[in-house]
Structure formats: C-alpha cells, structure tokens
C-alpha cells in the first residue's frame, strides 16, 4: 500500500472529521470510517467522545480512532473466536479488555494482508 504525500496536486488519503449525533445511524456509534472518492474520512462522534460524555476520555478517543483507522487500512470486524482484537465490532468489549493498540492477532492479520 502506498500512502501519497499531501501536495498541491494530490489528495490527502485520510482526514479526521467530527460529527455530533446520538440518533439514527449514530445511535451508540462512537466512530466510523467513510470511504470517499479522493480523501477518506474517519468520523469521530463528539456526542459520545467529548469530555464529560459517555466515552469522553483520551483513552477512549484513541481506541476509537485506532479501530476506525484499522478499517481505513482494509480490515473488517473480527470474530471474538479469533482472539483479542482492536477490530472487534463491540466497542464495549474493546474497552473492557483495555485494548489500546493493535494486538498480536491484529499484527498477524496486517502481515497476512500487507506482507
């Protein structure tokens, strides 16, 4: 995978954006990766992640960003049967296990996909 440098003639590969909603598609959703033509967006839901909110700590914001970045790199949600993973679908499980970065299973999946 080649990540292109930003410049006058190149798109940024990924940008972080904020949303703030607790309804519809954002109910109980902390973050989302949104592939776009050109620049992909990694959306962080401030309605849950701002200070004083349900998951409003730096630790949770880092976990959510790392999880969504995994999707941007091409990884899907992982089964609980496969072992501990930052890419589990249920964020509550990620937080409960205090997964603060890629696990051995995630690193193994990365090497299988990217070499």
């Amino acid at each position: 995978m080649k990540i292109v440098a930003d410049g006058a003639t190149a798109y940024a590969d990924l940008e972080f954006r904020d949303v703030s909603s607790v309804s519809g598609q954002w109910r109980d959703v902390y973050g989302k990766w949104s592939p776009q033509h050109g620049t992909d967006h990694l959306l962080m839901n401030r309605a849950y992640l701002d200070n004083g909110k349900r998951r409003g700590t730096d630790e949770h914001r880092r976990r959510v960003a790392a999880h969504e970045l995994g999707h941007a790199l091409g990884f899907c949600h992982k089964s609980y049967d496969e072992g501990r993973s930052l890419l589990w679908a249920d964020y509550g499980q990620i937080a409960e296990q205090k997964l603060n970065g890629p696990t051995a299973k995630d690193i193994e999946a990365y090497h299988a996909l990217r070499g």
Side-chain angles (χ1 to χ4, degrees):
M1 169 169 58
K2 183 174 187 216
I3 298 176
V4 179
D6 291 343
T9 60
Y11 287 105
D13 291 302
L14 182 68
E15 289 181 356
F16 283 84
R17 299 253 173 120
D18 292 328
V19 297
S20 184
S21 180
V22 295
S23 62
Q25 68 173 334
W26 289 101
R27 183 169 186 242
D28 295 325
V29 173
Y30 306 120
K32 199 178 275 193
W33 168 61
S34 177
Q36 305 289 318
H37 177 70
T39 303
D40 291 354
H41 299 147
L42 200 152
L43 306 168
M44 302 292 284
N45 192 350
R46 295 182 64 166
Y48 297 111
L49 297 172
D50 271 356
N51 290 336
K53 303 293 184 177
R54 181 188 307 172
R55 302 288 188 181
T57 66
D58 288 343
E59 183 177 37
H60 288 297
R61 287 186 284 270
R62 281 192 296 269
R63 281 188 192 126
V64 171
H67 174 95
E68 298 307 331
L69 184 57
H71 290 311
L73 289 171
F75 299 100
C76 61
H77 286 138
K78 301 298 181 213
S79 165
Y80 302 107
D81 298 342
E82 296 178 61
R84 292 166 34 106
S85 174
L86 192 58
L87 272 291
W88 283 338
D90 181 355
Y91 180 77
Q93 292 290 328
I94 295 168
E96 182 180 304
Q97 292 288 313
K98 297 191 184 301
L99 301 180
N100 291 319
T103 66
K105 195 61 162 172
D106 297 326
I107 293 167
E108 179 184 316
Y110 176 86
H111 288 295
L113 183 65
R114 302 282 181 208

